[in-house]
Amino acid sequence: MASFVMRAVSRLTGARSFSVSSAKHAKVSVLGASGGIGQPLSLLLKQSTLIDELSLYDIANTVGVAADLSHIESVAQVKGFVGESELEACLKGSNVVIIPAGMPRKPGMTRDDLFKINAGIAKSLAEACAHACPEAMLCIISNPVNSTVPIAAEVYKKAGVYDPRRIFGVTTLDVVRANTFISQLKGTPVTQTQCPVIGGHAGITILPLLSQVEPKVDFTDEERSALTVRIQNAGTEVVDAKAGGGSATLSMAYAGARFAFALLQAMNGAKNIVECSMVESDVTDIPFFSTPLVLGPNGVEKNLGLGKLNDFEQEGLKNLKSELQGSIEKGIKFANQ
């Protein structure tokens, strides 16, 4: 497998070595922009030189968020849209749509608990995107991602506009956490530490490939096991630490922005842009699966697959399949009701 390296000069601004003046500037829409993820995500996106229009949608408060962000001295022009009647206007002409909308996790809740609340939100927003901007890159943050990505895919299929290269489940936070925790444990430079994370985006479906970390580091069996569990349960770590005050909103906003910037760079012709994401996949016998992807102007350019797995990772892959498959089937069933 090709080296899993995010080659962007800056993960937080979308800046690269190519000329910004020659770049194709994009319209990016954020659905759920007034929420705990949506606001910091929109703030990070506002800083990118690759975005010239930032379109913000939510069921309330979006005009105020847009007004606040519009005072920032950066290129993107910001507009706020409120309510279902303004959703189409928000989406028209979008090149990238990011969906963090939905209910956050609370203490004691699993991502499966969120399904009952968030599945309908994901379906209705996907329907709006399929109608208003079917060729836009669709980046889904709304949990449970293991189900909301298949829901969106089914919606696009029904609308006759499905392109599997353009629908992404944003699993970047798992990579960000893996990189951070490995750096803390092993002392590697955090900005240079890269760990691919495969599978899904909940519990045991999250499988960090610690054998493929760059720069190369060695783990004892105990370290490998404990680190894998921490990465898998990191969302719960934050929910518990906030003690009812929310979920992982800030780190998720960072991860969402990182993925969006990588995608925008690739859409502008930058080469060797690699990020993990949950997409339609034939890498395993599971129809949607997160692996490192080479991104390009039309979305997924190449799926880099699993690479060589050690025995621990092979066992993890075996163990995650049933839960991930069940979540996918649950999403497909819901979309077709």
Side-chain angles (χ1 to χ4, degrees), residues 175-195 210 213-215 217 219 227 230-231:
V175 174
V176 168
R177 285 167 167 161
N179 294 344
T180 302
F181 299 163
I182 291 165
S183 175
Q184 291 170 347
L185 180 66
K186 291 297 184 178
T188 58
V190 67
T191 58
Q192 298 173 31
T193 303
Q194 300 293 343
C195 178
L210 300 178
V213 171
E214 296 181 1
V217 291
F219 300 93
L227 188 55
R230 188 185 179 198
I231 293 164

Side-chain angles (χ1 to χ4, degrees), residues 97-125:
V97 178
I98 309 172
I99 307 181
M103 175 70 72
R105 285 178 69 196
K106 297 179 180 179
M109 290 180 69
T110 66
R111 284 182 171 84
D112 193 57
D113 293 331
L114 294 179
F115 181 89
K116 299 171 185 176
I117 302 168
N118 290 348
I121 296 171
K123 183 179 180 182
S124 63
L125 293 177

Side-chain angles (χ1 to χ4, degrees), residues 189-268:
V190 67
T191 58
Q192 298 173 31
T193 303
Q194 300 293 343
C195 178
V197 181
I198 65 169
H201 185 56
I204 66 166
T205 72
I206 299 167
L207 182 59
L209 301 183
L210 300 178
S211 68
Q212 298 180 25
V213 171
E214 296 181 1
K216 178 69 174 176
V217 291
D218 294 319
F219 300 93
T220 66
D221 291 344
E222 292 76 14
E223 286 174 335
R224 184 183 300 109
S225 178
L227 188 55
T228 297
V229 170
R230 188 185 179 198
I231 293 164
Q232 291 172 336
N233 294 331
T236 301
E237 184 178 310
V238 175
V239 170
D240 290 346
K242 289 189 174 182
S247 59
T249 53
L250 301 177
S251 53
M252 184 64 249
Y254 168 88
R258 167 178 158 161
F259 185 80
F261 295 149
L263 190 54
L264 287 166
Q265 292 162 8
M267 291 167 67
N268 274 282

Side-chain angles (χ1 to χ4, degrees), residues 27 57 81 83-93 128 131-132:
K27 175 179 178 178
Y57 171 83
F81 300 84
E84 188 176 348
S85 63
E86 296 185 3
L87 180 54
E88 183 172 352
C90 170
L91 291 171
K92 281 290 187 183
H131 172 73

Side-chain angles (χ1 to χ4, degrees), residues 251-324:
S251 53
M252 184 64 249
Y254 168 88
R258 167 178 158 161
F259 185 80
F261 295 149
L263 190 54
L264 287 166
Q265 292 162 8
M267 291 167 67
N268 274 282
K271 303 299 183 182
N272 301 317
I273 301 296
V274 178
E275 286 284 355
C276 291
S277 180
M278 186 176 181
V279 297
E280 183 179 296
S281 172
D282 60 3
V283 168
T284 70
D285 55 357
I286 301 173
F288 293 89
F289 203 85
S290 183
T291 47
L293 309 170
V294 179
L295 303 176
N298 295 306
V300 178
E301 190 169 274
K302 183 179 181 181
N303 193 322
L304 297 179
L306 306 177
K308 184 177 180 181
L309 307 185
N310 63 23
D311 291 344
F312 180 87
E313 293 156 354
Q314 290 280 8
E315 185 68 17
L317 177 61
K318 178 182 176 182
N319 292 338
L320 70 81
K321 285 187 174 183
S322 177
E323 182 171 326
L324 181 53

